[in-house]
Amino acid sequence: PQTAALCVGGLPNPPAVITTSTEVYNGTAWSAGGACIVGTSNGDVNGSNSSCIYYCGDGTPWPSLEDRGETYASSTWTTSPASYPAPSTHMGGAGTKTAAMGMGGDPTTSLAAKWNDTAWSATPAISTDVGGYVCGAGINTDALCMGGTAPAPSRTVVSAWNDTSWSSSPALNTGRQTATSNCTSATSTFIAGGINPPAAVNDSTELWDDISWTTSSTLPDGMGYGAGGGTTTNAVAFCGVGPPSGAPYLNVTYELNPGATEALDITTS
């Protein structure tokens, strides 16, 4: 099973107040981690449950936008010395604490930037204006940007980054925004759940093998606005909202493990 995950900040329901809390998953249960310095919601986390960077998102008072970041090590948060190129929320991200990649978002719909453990630098614009609520996978030299709010109505667009430029990649089978991914591989990744308005919250998953997307098994229930990460053989998805869209936030953890057919078999924690 997936034995490491980190949940940072967010907007608990109730109360609908942005939190600074951090929770750490060890494969069995969640426990409290060190509180972040400034609470945000819809920011992005890249790295592990013991070493990561957390940046951007909705700040306080809502709906102010953040461009600041914090790094996490040994249960302690430290303010990052550098800011993201522009305030943003609902963006995609990928990578590690020392090699992260931010992409898309609101209102930075085609912006992408690389983090090298010291500073952020903007890359050339994403080849397709993806909007917000995108998913990311990979690291800052090899990444995928998946789904999003644009272009409507498909929301199946995938763009690939090769450390020099963005290019079109094979599309998802199902349009998705607010889905879950965040793998550190751009050649073997997954995407799970999400919403494609006006449809209901999605419970399907897809696998990418560096050639095409294959529809895999289903989550126990639909999940949008969730978080997660891992690999196609060992991943976790948690929190978010269930069907119908806008329902109270979920307090669930789904572990994604490979089955005999290499599909994702889902168990619930």
Side-chain angles (χ1 to χ4, degrees), residues 175-200:
R176 302 170 191 270
Q177 64 187 54
T178 73
T180 295
S181 183
N182 210 5
C183 291
T184 55
S185 171
T187 59
S188 177
T189 190
F190 75 95
I191 190 168
I195 302 170
N196 189 5

Side-chain angles (χ1 to χ4, degrees), residues 245-267:
S245 178
Y249 298 143
L250 299 172
N251 184 24
V252 297
T253 304
Y254 298 144
E255 292 182 357
L256 291 69
N257 304 306
T261 61
E262 297 303 320
L264 294 176
D265 295 329
I266 313 300
T267 61

Side-chain angles (χ1 to χ4, degrees), residues 24 55 74 174 224 240:
V24 180
Y55 53 96
S74 301
T174 301

